[in-house]
Amino acid sequence: QAFHRAMEEEKQPTGGPHFVGKKDEMIEAKHSFRTLEGRDVLIVYHQSAFYAIDSYCYHAGGTLLNGDIEEFDGKMCIICPNHKYKICLAQGEGIYKATDPREKTPVPRWYSKGVKQRIHTVTETNGDVYVKLSEDRGFIESDFYQGEKGKVERAKA
Ligand code: FES
């Protein structure tokens, strides 16, 4: 298996920023899907900012490509079209609104589940847009739906 992995890695350069498109085109498209080093990534342009996140929702592998963007609790989020989970674009946090029944007068508040979706780094140089994949080695839930194994899991969901 290690040999297979080595072969895979040889096919595409790893580590560095990948050119993903011309800035004008990426702005026009708003949401762009790219596969980088075998990873499916969604690049979003919203209110003058670019974001790059894993393309499949951490909850059950839903495709985020057509997810609406909205601000919740001061954070720009994508809403998964499948079950409406909200994912913050800048940090990959899963957030939800709930009331605490232990409060005297329960008021709905926003809560964070922590980072659930892997976030990548977007840069621009001379009208070109680049994405550098996250190098965070810890497991992030959206990792589960990536690659060949992820394809199988997505089909089950
Ligand atoms: Fe995204 Fe369930 S798959 S909310």
Side-chain angles (χ1 to χ4, degrees), residues 56-64 79-87 145 157:
Y56 308 113
C57 174
Y58 73 89
H59 173 226
T63 299
L64 296 173
I79 307 168
C80 176
N82 279 21
H83 315 101
K84 311 293 176 204
Y85 276 32
K86 295 161 186 70
I87 302 167
Y145 295 103

Side-chain angles (χ1 to χ4, degrees), residues 9 27 41 64 93 105 138:
E9 279 167 11
I27 290 174
V41 173
L64 296 173
E93 268 178 291
T105 332

Side-chain angles (χ1 to χ4, degrees), residues 98-109 111:
T99 49
D100 184 345
R102 289 168 303 185
E103 287 175 6
K104 262 207 188 119
T105 332
V107 192
R109 287 198 177 78
Y111 294 91

Side-chain angles (χ1 to χ4, degrees), residues 39-108:
R39 191 164 197 102
D40 293 336
V41 173
L42 173 66
I43 300 137
V44 171
Y45 180 82
H46 188 80
Q47 290 183 357
S48 313
F50 279 109
Y51 306 90
I53 65 170
D54 272 1
S55 196
Y56 308 113
C57 174
Y58 73 89
H59 173 226
T63 299
L64 296 173
L65 183 62
N66 296 318
D68 290 332
I69 312 288
E70 245 182 84
E71 192 177 311
F72 300 104
D73 200 24
K75 296 166 182 165
M76 209 49 87
C77 298
I78 190 160
I79 307 168
C80 176
N82 279 21
H83 315 101
K84 311 293 176 204
Y85 276 32
K86 295 161 186 70
I87 302 167
C88 302
L89 288 165
Q91 307 292 344
E93 268 178 291
I95 62 164
Y96 64 101
K97 202 171 202 180
T99 49
D100 184 345
R102 289 168 303 185
E103 287 175 6
K104 262 207 188 119
T105 332
V107 192

